[in-house]
Amino acid sequence: MTDITVRRVKFDFMDDLGPVLPGIDPVGETYLAAFSLTMPVLEPYLIRTMRAVGPRVTDPALAEDMSRFSGQEAQHFQNHRRINEIIIDQVGPTAGPALRAILDDLEREYRRFTDTKSDRFNLVYAEGFEAMTCAMALSMMRRAASGETTVGTPGTFDPWQQLWAWHAAEEIEHRTVAFGAYEHVVGSYVYRVVGSLRAQWNFQSYIGRLQRVLLASQGQPAKHYLPPWLATRGDGRRMYLRTFRRRYDPGALEIPDLVGTVLSMYPA
């Protein structure tokens, strides 16, 4: 288990999309904006999942980590929801309603999962998502540590970039929780691999729909793209594939010093 801190953070976002969609890297920018849009739907689903399986967890340390995981996720989606409203309001009269319609579909899907699917299904979905985002966050952190910039205006650290730095650092901090809960309650390696792939495909299909709307709103071709952290130079693909190993252990991952530096900026 790891030490997990629930940090109550509120970012002062801008009133325009300059830092969010500056047009420097349309594919990368629209991917992150699409990802942000899903957070107020996806993260409450993860919280519901942890609460639903809580009575089946007999390890007090894991139960405490699950509670803190939920606290962090709640802080994440509240901040994303604020910037998401700005994004939806400013991408135009056609794109805005189209984005809301896709998010309504996603909300209905996750509600259906909570109401009708088994704990095993929902736990493997949570673990598949968390394993993927941990690989994504580690890739982002390592690229940032090497001096690369992927979001916003180069040379700045605006609230949009701060949001992602904080969110990525906390994804890495609570990287063991969904895995630990899955192993404790379910424990099947084959189901973890199959279920994680199914969950990731499901989630990324919604990201793709949102991204294509955002691309069109910016005058870009509304094409299918691989997630930038998988498609670009770096070790994101390697870290992602490692999550499917039989002996995968997120607690054993090497964590960049930058993660601790970012977390120290946002005390509890």
Side-chain angles (χ1 to χ4, degrees):
M1 297 298 103
T2 58
D3 293 326
I4 298 170
T5 300
V6 179
R7 302 168 183 85
R8 288 168 174 78
V9 181
K10 185 175 181 179
F11 295 96
D12 294 323
F13 294 116
M14 70 305 295
D15 291 327
D16 63 74
L17 298 182
V20 180
L21 300 170
I24 299 168
D25 174 15
V27 174
E29 292 158 9
T30 54
Y31 179 84
L32 275 187
F35 207 103
S36 178
L37 288 168
T38 67
M39 292 298 95
V41 183
L42 180 280
E43 290 181 314
Y45 165 62
L46 299 181
I47 293 170
R48 293 195 302 269
T49 297
M50 293 299 153
R51 289 176 176 169
V53 303
R56 301 179 63 182
V57 174
T58 58
D59 180 343
L62 175 58
E64 177 63 21
D65 276 0
M66 290 166 64
S67 175
R68 296 187 182 201
F69 168 96
S70 295
Q72 285 192 342
E73 298 289 37
Q75 292 299 309
H76 296 169
F77 82 73
Q78 289 174 45
N79 276 286
H80 281 281
R81 183 164 53 197
R82 292 170 51 238
I83 186 62
N84 289 350
E85 287 303 313
I86 297 171
I87 294 171
I88 291 172
D89 287 346
Q90 300 222 3
V91 292
T94 300
L99 294 173
R100 290 192 190 276
I102 296 168
L103 294 172
D104 287 344
D105 287 347
L106 184 59
E107 172 67 28
R108 283 190 290 270
E109 180 130 87
Y110 285 152
R111 284 289 175 184
R112 179 174 63 84
F113 288 172
T114 297
D115 293 340
T116 67
K117 295 294 187 179
S118 65
D119 287 348
R120 184 174 81 148
F121 176 95
N122 290 318
L123 272 176
V124 82
Y125 196 109
E127 163 51 18
F129 176 80
E130 290 294 315
M132 178 187 69
T133 53
C134 181
M136 173 183 171
L138 283 170
S139 177
M140 290 172 64
M141 284 290 176
R142 290 178 180 178
R143 293 182 68 192
S146 70
E148 296 182 54
T149 56
T150 58
V151 188
T153 306
T156 69
F157 194 52
D158 56 62
W160 175 244
Q161 292 172 310
Q162 293 169 32
L163 168 65
W164 279 111
W166 164 72
H167 191 158
E170 289 199 340
E171 286 296 312
I172 294 167
E173 185 179 46
H174 69 224
R175 67 194 179 279
T176 64
V177 179
F179 179 85
Y182 175 82
E183 290 295 306
H184 185 85
V185 175
V186 183
S188 166
Y189 167 69
V190 173
Y191 188 75
R192 178 171 69 82
V193 172
V194 174
S196 291
L197 286 169
R198 180 173 56 187
Q200 292 159 7
W201 180 88
N202 174 265
F203 176 75
Q204 291 292 346
S205 70
Y206 281 95
I207 292 290
R209 289 173 63 187
L210 293 164
Q211 185 179 22
R212 289 191 290 277
V213 172
L214 290 166
L215 283 164
S217 76
Q218 303 303 298
Q220 300 290 328
K223 296 166 55 180
H224 294 267
Y225 292 97
L226 278 175
W229 56 277
L230 279 177
T232 56
R233 179 175 58 84
D235 57 0
R237 185 181 295 112
R238 178 181 60 82
M239 287 186 288
Y240 168 67
L241 292 174
R242 183 169 55 185
T243 68
F244 297 106
R245 293 178 181 173
R246 183 176 290 274
R247 299 194 181 193
Y248 169 67
D249 176 7
L253 295 174
E254 183 178 349
I255 306 304
D257 292 340
L258 182 59
V259 174
T261 300
V262 170
L263 293 177
S264 70
M265 298 167 60
Y266 305 102

Tab-separated table of all heavy atoms in Angstrom, residues 134-146 168-169 172-173 175 235 238-239 242 252-263:
chain	number	residue	atom	x	y	z
A	134	CYS	N	-2.200	5.109	-15.331
A	134	CYS	CA	-0.897	5.157	-14.673
A	134	CYS	C	0.218	5.171	-15.716
A	134	CYS	O	1.169	5.952	-15.606
A	134	CYS	CB	-0.737	3.966	-13.739
A	134	CYS	SG	0.848	3.943	-12.855
A	135	ALA	N	0.107	4.327	-16.736
A	135	ALA	CA	1.102	4.329	-17.812
A	135	ALA	C	1.118	5.672	-18.528
A	135	ALA	O	2.186	6.227	-18.839
A	135	ALA	CB	0.806	3.202	-18.799
A	136	MET	N	-0.063	6.231	-18.780
A	136	MET	CA	-0.178	7.535	-19.421
A	136	MET	C	0.469	8.613	-18.562
A	136	MET	O	1.243	9.453	-19.051
A	136	MET	CB	-1.643	7.852	-19.654
A	136	MET	CG	-1.949	9.247	-20.166
A	136	MET	SD	-3.747	9.481	-20.307
A	136	MET	CE	-3.813	11.255	-20.650
A	137	ALA	N	0.175	8.600	-17.255
A	137	ALA	CA	0.707	9.615	-16.354
A	137	ALA	C	2.218	9.510	-16.226
A	137	ALA	O	2.930	10.531	-16.212
A	137	ALA	CB	0.049	9.493	-14.979
A	138	LEU	N	2.732	8.286	-16.124
A	138	LEU	CA	4.184	8.118	-16.044
A	138	LEU	C	4.863	8.619	-17.313
A	138	LEU	O	5.917	9.259	-17.253
A	138	LEU	CB	4.529	6.646	-15.806
A	138	LEU	CG	4.338	6.136	-14.390
A	138	LEU	CD1	4.467	4.613	-14.346
A	138	LEU	CD2	5.364	6.769	-13.448
A	139	SER	N	4.256	8.333	-18.470
A	139	SER	CA	4.811	8.821	-19.726
A	139	SER	C	4.825	10.345	-19.753
A	139	SER	O	5.825	10.969	-20.146
A	139	SER	CB	3.992	8.277	-20.894
A	139	SER	OG	4.453	8.779	-22.126
A	140	MET	N	3.721	10.976	-19.319
A	140	MET	CA	3.655	12.434	-19.277
A	140	MET	C	4.717	13.004	-18.351
A	140	MET	O	5.393	13.989	-18.687
A	140	MET	CB	2.267	12.875	-18.825
A	140	MET	CG	1.153	12.621	-19.819
A	140	MET	SD	-0.497	12.966	-19.134
A	140	MET	CE	-0.375	14.736	-18.844
A	141	MET	N	4.874	12.396	-17.173
A	141	MET	CA	5.841	12.899	-16.204
A	141	MET	C	7.275	12.765	-16.717
A	141	MET	O	8.105	13.662	-16.541
A	141	MET	CB	5.685	12.151	-14.881
A	141	MET	CG	4.482	12.572	-14.072
A	141	MET	SD	4.702	14.239	-13.394
A	141	MET	CE	3.098	14.482	-12.610
A	142	ARG	N	7.564	11.670	-17.342
A	142	ARG	CA	8.923	11.470	-17.842
A	142	ARG	C	9.232	12.410	-19.004
A	142	ARG	O	10.353	12.908	-19.123
A	142	ARG	CB	9.110	10.005	-18.230
A	142	ARG	CG	9.126	9.092	-17.011
A	142	ARG	CD	9.259	7.628	-17.345
A	142	ARG	NE	9.255	6.829	-16.124
A	142	ARG	CZ	9.318	5.512	-16.076
A	142	ARG	NH1	9.396	4.817	-17.214
A	142	ARG	NH2	9.303	4.867	-14.937
A	143	ARG	N	8.242	12.678	-19.830
A	143	ARG	CA	8.444	13.632	-20.919
A	143	ARG	C	8.612	15.045	-20.365
A	143	ARG	O	9.444	15.815	-20.846
A	143	ARG	CB	7.277	13.569	-21.896
A	143	ARG	CG	7.180	12.244	-22.659
A	143	ARG	CD	6.032	12.258	-23.632
A	143	ARG	NE	6.283	13.188	-24.718
A	143	ARG	CZ	5.362	13.577	-25.583
A	143	ARG	NH1	4.115	13.133	-25.465
A	143	ARG	NH2	5.657	14.417	-26.544
A	144	ALA	N	7.831	15.371	-19.332
A	144	ALA	CA	7.981	16.689	-18.711
A	144	ALA	C	9.345	16.834	-18.057
A	144	ALA	O	9.976	17.890	-18.140
A	144	ALA	CB	6.870	16.906	-17.693
A	145	ALA	N	9.811	15.768	-17.402
A	145	ALA	CA	11.109	15.824	-16.742
A	145	ALA	C	12.245	16.008	-17.744
A	145	ALA	O	13.285	16.593	-17.425
A	145	ALA	CB	11.333	14.564	-15.922
A	146	SER	N	12.024	15.529	-18.978
A	146	SER	CA	13.055	15.667	-20.008
A	146	SER	C	12.987	16.998	-20.729
A	146	SER	O	13.784	17.269	-21.625
A	146	SER	CB	12.925	14.521	-21.017
A	146	SER	OG	11.759	14.679	-21.804
A	168	ALA	N	-2.143	13.851	-12.860
A	168	ALA	CA	-1.243	12.752	-13.226
A	168	ALA	C	-0.444	12.270	-12.024
A	168	ALA	O	-0.265	11.059	-11.822
A	168	ALA	CB	-0.297	13.204	-14.340
A	169	ALA	N	0.031	13.207	-11.203
A	169	ALA	CA	0.811	12.824	-10.027
A	169	ALA	C	-0.023	12.003	-9.053
A	169	ALA	O	0.461	11.025	-8.466
A	169	ALA	CB	1.374	14.067	-9.338
A	172	ILE	N	-0.587	8.456	-10.225
A	172	ILE	CA	0.570	7.626	-9.900
A	172	ILE	C	0.590	7.299	-8.408
A	172	ILE	O	0.893	6.164	-8.012
A	172	ILE	CB	1.864	8.347	-10.337
A	172	ILE	CG1	1.897	8.476	-11.866
A	172	ILE	CG2	3.098	7.606	-9.836
A	172	ILE	CD1	2.957	9.426	-12.387
A	173	GLU	N	0.227	8.259	-7.584
A	173	GLU	CA	0.236	8.035	-6.139
A	173	GLU	C	-0.744	6.923	-5.743
A	173	GLU	O	-0.435	6.091	-4.881
A	173	GLU	CB	-0.115	9.326	-5.407
A	173	GLU	CG	-0.019	9.204	-3.888
A	173	GLU	CD	-0.344	10.504	-3.180
A	173	GLU	OE1	-1.350	11.159	-3.542
A	173	GLU	OE2	0.400	10.863	-2.253
A	175	ARG	N	-1.840	4.440	-7.628
A	175	ARG	CA	-1.765	3.438	-8.681
A	175	ARG	C	-2.025	2.018	-8.196
A	175	ARG	O	-2.386	1.139	-8.980
A	175	ARG	CB	-0.397	3.497	-9.368
A	175	ARG	CG	0.752	3.066	-8.465
A	175	ARG	CD	2.121	3.452	-9.035
A	175	ARG	NE	3.203	3.055	-8.139
A	175	ARG	CZ	3.574	3.764	-7.078
A	175	ARG	NH1	2.954	4.900	-6.787
A	175	ARG	NH2	4.564	3.349	-6.305
A	235	ASP	N	8.303	6.168	-23.855
A	235	ASP	CA	8.115	4.803	-23.374
A	235	ASP	C	6.691	4.531	-22.917
A	235	ASP	O	6.439	3.573	-22.203
A	235	ASP	CB	9.099	4.507	-22.239
A	235	ASP	CG	8.988	5.490	-21.077
A	235	ASP	OD1	8.140	6.407	-21.143
A	235	ASP	OD2	9.749	5.337	-20.109
A	238	ARG	N	5.536	1.051	-24.038
A	238	ARG	CA	6.185	-0.017	-23.263
A	238	ARG	C	5.577	-0.136	-21.869
A	238	ARG	O	5.304	-1.235	-21.382
A	238	ARG	CB	7.690	0.261	-23.157
A	238	ARG	CG	8.453	-0.766	-22.322
A	238	ARG	CD	9.928	-0.420	-22.232
A	238	ARG	NE	10.144	0.887	-21.623
A	238	ARG	CZ	10.144	1.079	-20.297
A	238	ARG	NH1	9.918	0.073	-19.474
A	238	ARG	NH2	10.369	2.286	-19.814
A	239	MET	N	5.348	1.012	-21.221
A	239	MET	CA	4.776	0.974	-19.878
A	239	MET	C	3.352	0.433	-19.900
A	239	MET	O	2.932	-0.273	-18.982
A	239	MET	CB	4.824	2.371	-19.266
A	239	MET	CG	6.241	2.793	-18.865
A	239	MET	SD	6.292	4.361	-17.991
A	239	MET	CE	5.922	5.497	-19.328
A	242	ARG	N	3.361	-3.372	-20.364
A	242	ARG	CA	3.833	-4.029	-19.150
A	242	ARG	C	2.688	-4.313	-18.178
A	242	ARG	O	2.765	-5.248	-17.372
A	242	ARG	CB	4.903	-3.154	-18.472
A	242	ARG	CG	5.536	-3.755	-17.238
A	242	ARG	CD	6.747	-2.956	-16.797
A	242	ARG	NE	6.430	-1.551	-16.588
A	242	ARG	CZ	7.338	-0.622	-16.285
A	242	ARG	NH1	8.610	-0.950	-16.187
A	242	ARG	NH2	6.974	0.633	-16.090
A	252	ALA	N	5.590	-1.722	-7.650
A	252	ALA	CA	7.017	-1.879	-7.911
A	252	ALA	C	7.530	-0.954	-9.009
A	252	ALA	O	8.731	-0.981	-9.329
A	252	ALA	CB	7.316	-3.332	-8.298
A	253	LEU	N	6.665	-0.113	-9.570
A	253	LEU	CA	7.081	0.769	-10.653
A	253	LEU	C	8.051	1.830	-10.150
A	253	LEU	O	7.932	2.321	-9.015
A	253	LEU	CB	5.859	1.450	-11.277
A	253	LEU	CG	4.858	0.533	-11.985
A	253	LEU	CD1	3.638	1.338	-12.428
A	253	LEU	CD2	5.496	-0.168	-13.169
A	254	GLU	N	8.994	2.198	-10.995
A	254	GLU	CA	9.934	3.274	-10.665
A	254	GLU	C	9.246	4.619	-10.927
A	254	GLU	O	8.778	4.884	-12.026
A	254	GLU	CB	11.197	3.153	-11.522
A	254	GLU	CG	12.251	4.188	-11.205
A	254	GLU	CD	13.505	4.016	-12.045
A	254	GLU	OE1	13.627	2.967	-12.720
A	254	GLU	OE2	14.349	4.931	-12.024
A	255	ILE	N	9.211	5.462	-9.904
A	255	ILE	CA	8.465	6.712	-9.974
A	255	ILE	C	9.431	7.892	-10.126
A	255	ILE	O	10.355	8.041	-9.321
A	255	ILE	CB	7.601	6.903	-8.709
A	255	ILE	CG1	6.715	5.678	-8.484
A	255	ILE	CG2	6.767	8.166	-8.824
A	255	ILE	CD1	5.835	5.319	-9.645
A	256	PRO	N	9.234	8.749	-11.137
A	256	PRO	CA	10.121	9.904	-11.318
A	256	PRO	C	10.052	10.862	-10.128
A	256	PRO	O	9.004	11.020	-9.490
A	256	PRO	CB	9.567	10.580	-12.588
A	256	PRO	CG	8.744	9.537	-13.270
A	256	PRO	CD	8.204	8.659	-12.196
A	257	ASP	N	11.180	11.503	-9.828
A	257	ASP	CA	11.216	12.473	-8.736
A	257	ASP	C	10.224	13.608	-8.947
A	257	ASP	O	9.740	14.207	-7.980
A	257	ASP	CB	12.625	13.052	-8.598
A	257	ASP	CG	13.639	12.018	-8.109
A	257	ASP	OD1	13.214	10.995	-7.528
A	257	ASP	OD2	14.842	12.237	-8.326
A	258	LEU	N	9.925	13.909	-10.215
A	258	LEU	CA	9.002	15.007	-10.515
A	258	LEU	C	7.630	14.788	-9.880
A	258	LEU	O	6.942	15.755	-9.539
A	258	LEU	CB	8.859	15.160	-12.031
A	258	LEU	CG	7.961	16.304	-12.525
A	258	LEU	CD1	8.465	17.653	-12.014
A	258	LEU	CD2	7.886	16.293	-14.049
A	259	VAL	N	7.228	13.540	-9.706
A	259	VAL	CA	5.921	13.265	-9.101
A	259	VAL	C	5.863	13.831	-7.687
A	259	VAL	O	4.913	14.529	-7.312
A	259	VAL	CB	5.633	11.749	-9.090
A	259	VAL	CG1	4.346	11.453	-8.327
A	259	VAL	CG2	5.541	11.218	-10.516
A	260	GLY	N	6.893	13.556	-6.899
A	260	GLY	CA	6.933	14.100	-5.546
A	260	GLY	C	7.002	15.621	-5.532
A	260	GLY	O	6.392	16.271	-4.671
A	261	THR	N	7.717	16.175	-6.491
A	261	THR	CA	7.810	17.652	-6.574
A	261	THR	C	6.442	18.262	-6.841
A	261	THR	O	6.051	19.241	-6.214
A	261	THR	CB	8.783	18.041	-7.695
A	261	THR	OG1	10.069	17.491	-7.410
A	261	THR	CG2	8.895	19.548	-7.811
A	262	VAL	N	5.692	17.667	-7.775
A	262	VAL	CA	4.361	18.173	-8.083
A	262	VAL	C	3.448	18.042	-6.871
A	262	VAL	O	2.735	18.988	-6.498
A	262	VAL	CB	3.759	17.442	-9.295
A	262	VAL	CG1	2.288	17.802	-9.472
A	262	VAL	CG2	4.542	17.785	-10.559
A	263	LEU	N	3.440	16.894	-6.230
A	263	LEU	CA	2.563	16.674	-5.086
A	263	LEU	C	2.873	17.620	-3.942
A	263	LEU	O	1.966	18.036	-3.195
A	263	LEU	CB	2.647	15.227	-4.619
A	263	LEU	CG	2.095	14.179	-5.596
A	263	LEU	CD1	2.313	12.779	-5.051
A	263	LEU	CD2	0.619	14.421	-5.883
